[in-house]
Amino acid sequence: MEDNISVLKQWVEESDNIVFFGGAGVSTESNIPDFRSVDGLYNQEYDYPPETILSHTFFVRYPQEFYRFYKNKMLILDAKPNTAHLKLAELEAKGKLKAIVTQNIDGLHQAAGSKVVYELHGSVHRNYCTKCGKFFGPEYMAVADGVPTCDACGGMIKPDVVLYEEGLDSEVIEGAVKAISRADVLIIGGTSLVVYPAAGLIDYYRGNKLVLINKSTTPRDNLANLIINDSIGKVFAQL
C-alpha cells in the first residue's frame, strides 16, 4: 500500500495534466450517504425502492412522495468538503489538476474551491420551475412544504439532477470526454464504476497512468495501472 501511494505521489508531482473522476465514495466522509454501500440508501427501506423514486416517471406521477424522499435523503445542505475535496481544489490551484468529473450532486467540489467541475448527474443547488423556468436555490427547496412550487407562476419546481430515464447533459458529457481524453494522469476515486453511461467515460482515457482508489474492487480493476484499496480521504491526505 505504501509503495502504491509513493507511486501516486510521484505521478502527481510530475504531472500538470491530471483529471479526477469521482463517485459517491468521495462524499461519504462528509456524511452524505452512498447509494450502494452497506449503509447506503439502497439498503434502507422505503415505501418504494430508491431507484423507482428517483425516476422521471415517479417524479411526474408522485411528486409528493418524490420530494419526501428527496428532502430527507438527497438535499443535505449542512455537509462540508472533506480532505479529498480540499486536496483536489489545491491541486487545481497549483495548475496540476485540469478538471473534476463527478457523479455526485452535492456541490462539495465547488464549495472546496474547485472551478472546473463536470457534474454528470446535475446538482441539488440548481432548481428550475417546470413551467416558466425560474431559478431557485436549494434553501427554497428545503423549506417548501410538500411539493415546491414557483412563487412567480405556481408551476412545480424540479431539481436540476438527472433522474433515471433521463439523459445526461450533452455539453457536460462533451467537456468531460475532452478532459479525460487529454489527461496524462486519470485518478478514479470513490466509485464502483457500475453506473452507466457515466462509468463508460473512462474509456476515453488514452494514457498509461490510470489510478483506481476505492475501498472495494471494481469491474475495471484489470485496466488500472495503479490500484489503492482504501478510502479516498485517507489516500489524498498523504499527497
Side-chain angles (χ1 to χ4, degrees):
M1 182 71 73
E2 289 182 5
D3 289 343
N4 285 356
I5 290 177
S6 295
V7 173
L8 176 59
K9 284 182 181 179
Q10 182 180 344
W11 287 358
V12 169
E13 287 172 4
E14 294 174 349
S15 177
D16 61 357
N17 188 4
I18 303 168
V19 169
F20 179 79
F21 182 99
V26 178
S27 292
T28 52
E29 289 164 53
S30 293
N31 296 318
I32 292 180
D34 178 2
F35 273 70
R36 289 176 173 78
S37 69
V38 174
D39 299 315
L41 295 180
Y42 277 62
N43 290 281
Q44 300 176 26
E45 292 191 12
Y46 300 93
D47 294 339
Y48 301 88
E51 282 177 318
T52 300
I53 297 173
L54 296 175
S55 68
H56 179 82
T57 298
F58 194 92
F59 171 77
V60 173
R61 291 181 179 174
Y62 310 105
Q64 193 86 22
E65 185 69 9
F66 171 88
Y67 271 112
R68 187 169 71 87
F69 177 90
Y70 178 78
K71 291 178 184 179
N72 287 340
K73 299 298 180 183
M74 311 293 287
L75 196 59
I76 302 172
L77 301 182
D78 58 352
K80 304 297 182 186
N82 60 51
T83 302
H85 297 110
L86 297 170
K87 181 59 68 173
L88 287 165
E90 179 186 318
L91 290 173
E92 183 187 55
K94 290 180 177 179
K96 290 185 162 296
L97 185 82
K98 298 307 182 191
I100 292 170
V101 181
T102 181
Q103 299 175 80
N104 297 334
I105 61 174
D106 49 53
L108 289 179
H109 286 296
Q110 291 92 330
S114 293
K115 307 297 183 187
V116 184
V117 183
Y118 296 104
E119 296 173 308
L120 298 176
H121 297 149
S123 172
V124 299
H125 294 272
R126 299 186 300 269
N127 308 272
Y128 299 95
C129 174
T130 56
K131 188 175 180 181
C132 73
K134 182 177 178 180
F135 171 87
F136 293 89
E139 293 80 10
Y140 184 92
M141 307 294 283
V143 300
D145 290 329
V147 178
T149 55
C150 178
D151 58 7
C153 74
M156 183 167 66
I157 301 171
K158 181 183 182 298
D160 187 18
V161 299
V162 180
L163 303 177
Y164 290 101
E165 305 168 344
E166 295 179 345
L168 304 187
D169 183 274
S170 59
E171 289 187 10
V172 173
I173 289 293
E174 184 180 349
V177 167
K178 282 184 179 179
I180 290 171
S181 64
R182 295 171 180 171
D184 172 33
V185 178
L186 177 61
I187 303 174
I188 302 172
T191 173
S192 55
L193 292 175
V194 297
V195 177
Y196 283 81
L201 295 182
I202 68 170
D203 292 335
Y204 289 94
Y205 177 62
R206 300 178 181 134
N208 60 357
K209 295 183 177 72
L210 178 61
V211 184
L212 270 176
I213 306 171
N214 201 50
K215 288 183 177 179
S216 57
T217 58
T218 79
R220 300 301 190 94
D221 281 13
N222 62 313
L223 300 177
N225 303 105
L226 186 66
I227 297 175
I228 301 175
N229 291 130
D230 208 339
S231 76
I232 188 78
K234 184 177 177 182
V235 172
F236 271 58
Q238 299 176 68
L239 295 182

